Structures are given as structure tokens and as C-alpha cells.
Amino acid sequence: MKIMMIDSIIIDRSRLRRWHLDLVSRLSKGRKPVALVLSDGESLPNSIEILLSLERFIYRLPAPRASDRVENALSSGDKIEGQSLDLSIAGIGGPGALRLRYDGLADESALFGALLSGRVPVIEVTNMEGTNRVGYALPSIETAESLTEAYESVAARVSTLILSVPKAVLCRNMPAIVQTTPASPRAAIHYLSRQVAFSALKRLYRLCTRAPHWRVGWRHVTGSGVFDRGDIGGTPWNDLPNPGDRFLADPFPVIWKGETWVFAEDFEHRTQKGIISAVPFGENGPTGSARPVLEMPWHLSYPFIIADGGEIWMIPESSTDRTVRLYRADPFPDRWVEEAILLDSVEASDATVVRHEGRYWMFAVTRDDAGAPSDTLSLFMADKLIGPWRPHPANPVLIDASAARPAGNMVYRDGRLWRPVQDCRNGYGRALGLAEVTHLDDERFSQTVHTILRPGADWPGRRIHTLNRAGTLECIDGSSLSLKTPKLFPHYRDKPMAGLSNLASGSPGVTGMISALIS
């Protein structure tokens, strides 16, 4: 598989930032140094630089930052050799250069214009004319609370894309490009006024509520489930009661030796840490309360369950420990013994394993110490569940906030492999997609998202991000409202987040902002 090699980066001197120098350094690692060629093109609008500086003060953003301007950097000269990546506004790299485009425009002002309007542009690496696409990315800004952080999240994924472009998945299911208006002083002022009001309201929301707060939905279906219907309608969903001031999320139902259990993340607001708990189920619903089955010094979530070799295994998310660990039930369901560290020194979330064509495949979103945690899909393969596991040579195989992060067990339908995926374009866990894996081997990966599922009348709230089924028991999860002073509003305790807007009074704009406060 051919990987793009960059020999020089061209950028306007006035637009050079710390992340550009970091990219040059990373591209140069273990090979001939990449040249940095500085040109004298026009600067970004002053309003952008003023806004970034103001945010550093208002939000007390620690320095140094990837977005910091770099003055007096040394240029490698004007001679451009080999394959160049041209980031200059004028495009001086020549016919063979590669260009970075934001929604089709080769101007970083278009990136800021999209972010100021509350949108993330599609990032493309193309030839100079824009007629041939080399690679694309749709970054997530789910963790960003300012323009500065949103810009840095995008910059992190631009670096990921340039460092490794897997040719096999370049044009698969690429989101539509929306026309972008470059940044302007008016857009910056509008953004700042909106952001100040939103930030104040968000602080109030967090003061009054426990956030994030999730809830698990379950139902018994004898026929068509979500994958068959292509929607979340049909048999009504029931809420699984949350245990006290904790919440359950990431439900994984499993039937083992005639018993049905739902394993889930059990998050305690006081400690801000999750453990894994299990709830016994019968034909009419839960037959007992959630009971802890696995706790570690680090946060645990997404308790992926798999049966293999006559045993039942769990691979919970432990990304804060930078490991992916395999546990065996001994005995099921209350005791889990660690058998192996499948991946080490990697920040991998929501590891999901499937056996496909005689081999084990692990799907997980990875993060290279920067950017959001939900937009970069990496694959790993092994001949045995216990390993050893090796990375796919095209990693990361996908950089796409709409379809990268796993959302539950993969399933076979009519001989075809499908995976539920999280759609984080409008925030973490806002929607769920059903994607068909159209190619999977040790050289290529591709998928096509056929359906997007969003909360609504059938599943009230503003989030949905996990889908699993065992036998007739189908589970999803979603957001809910948990007030720190529930006696003031007893009706709203552990209610879907859609009900939050009913607490608002005043202008529709205030109500809209309150409804958007999902953490």
C-alpha cells in the first residue's frame, strides 16, 4: 500500500503556527528532513487573530498551544523539491503539489468561516487543480468549547491525514461538501456574542445538573429489531432504572448458560469514574438491581462481551490507562480475571471484536494525543482472541466523525457484515448509524452507512450511541436529566434530555441554547 510522502511544506509566513512545525517534525522522523518553505502571502483576517487571543484570556487556556502563531521561523529556502504540500494562499507549489482544501476551498479562512458558523468542513488533500482527491477527513470537535479548541481539533486530524493516507478508503461515503463562506469580522463578532451567552448558560446548567447523565433503554422483540426495521420504532422502549446518583450506559446484553444479563458502564458522579455492573433479566424485564462485577483504578466503560472457545470474555474500554485488556469470566457473571493486554501504550476507545473469514478483527477509535476521541478508526487483527494483535497497515483506515466510532456488536445479515457506528458530527452521541462493511482484509477497508438513527418520539431525548441485542432482548442508551437539587423539580429527575427545554422560559433563542446543553 502506497503512503503519501511529503518532502516540503509551503505556507505563508503570517499563517505559520506551532502545529505546522510539529507536523514538519513528525514527517521528518526517521527520514530526510522535510523542508519548510515560507512565502509572503496575505494574512488571515485580523478579527480571527483577535478572537483567538481573546479566547485565551477569557477561557484561561493554558500555553503553549498548537494554534500559537510562530514568528521568525527559519525557512529552508525557496527551492521546492520532491512532493510538496502547498498551504499557501496563492498556491505557488507548482502543478505537482498537493493542496489542502476546506469544503473545496484552498484557504484556511474557509476553515475558520465554517467553525464560526458552528460547522466542521470536509478536509481534503487534492492535486493542485482540485480534480483528484488523495484523501479526506471529517474531524470531530465534540470536546471543544471555544473556537481555539475547535481549530486545534481540526488541525490535529489534518496532521493525522497527512501523516498517513490509506488509499483504500479515500472516497468511500464521503460527506457532501457544503459551500463555505470565508471568515469575516462580522462572523467573528456574531460568534463571540453567541459564545459568551452560551458559555454562561452552560456554566449554569452544569451548576444545577449532573452532566453527562445517561439512561439505558430495553425491550423484548420477537421479530424485527433495529437492524431489520432501519429505525428505532416498533415495540416501545423501557427505561432501566439508574442506581441512585449514578447512571448506566453502554448496555451489552448477553445470554450465557441459560441466563440473560445486561452489562453496562456504571458511572458515579461523585468519583467521576466508571465501573462495570451487570443487571439480571427475565422475560418481563430486570429481575434485580445493577451489581458491580469489575472495577479498576482507572475508568471503565463499553463492556464488550464475546463468547469464544467455550468461555465468555469481556473487553471493557480502558483508554485512560492507554491499554486494551481482555478478561475471562470465572465464574460468570460476578468475577472477571485479566488474561491478556491486547494493546498497550495506545489510547483506544470502544474496542469491538468480530471474527471474519477465519481471523479476529478489532475495531477501535484511536487518538494520537490530540484532537477529539471519536473520529479516527483503527483496525487490528489476530489469529486468536488472546493475540498477539497487530495493526492494520492502512491505519487509521477512516477519519470521519460521522462513522468511525463503534456503537456496539457487529452483526451478520444475509452474509454481509454490519456495524453500528456513532455519528458525532453534531456532538458526542447525537446519532447512530448502521454501516455495511463492504471490504475488510489486511490491505483494505471500506464501509457504507445506509441509515442514520436519531432520538425522537420513539426514543425521547437528544442522544443515542449504543445498540446491542441478545436473543429477543434489544438495548440502546440515551441522555437524561439529573438535577443536583431534585426536590425543586422532582418531575425532571432522570428524564430524557428533551424535557429540559420545558424548564426554559423567555425567548426561543434561550430555549434553543438550553436544549443544546448536552455534556
Side-chain angles (χ1 to χ4, degrees), residues 227 402 407 419-423 431-435 449-453:
F227 266 102
S402 71
R419 59 185 295 255
V421 297
Q422 294 189 39
D423 186 340
L432 189 149
L434 304 181
V449 177
H450 292 278
T451 304
I452 299 295
L453 308 173

Side-chain angles (χ1 to χ4, degrees), residues 207-242:
L207 182 66
C208 298
T209 68
R210 299 175 179 89
H213 199 76
W214 291 78
R215 77 190 201 282
V216 167
W218 66 270
R219 66 183 181 184
H220 279 292
V221 289
T222 56
S224 299
V226 173
F227 266 102
D228 303 297
R229 293 176 55 92
D231 61 44
I232 54 177
T235 304
W237 297 93
N238 305 284
D239 277 1
L240 184 63
N242 274 329

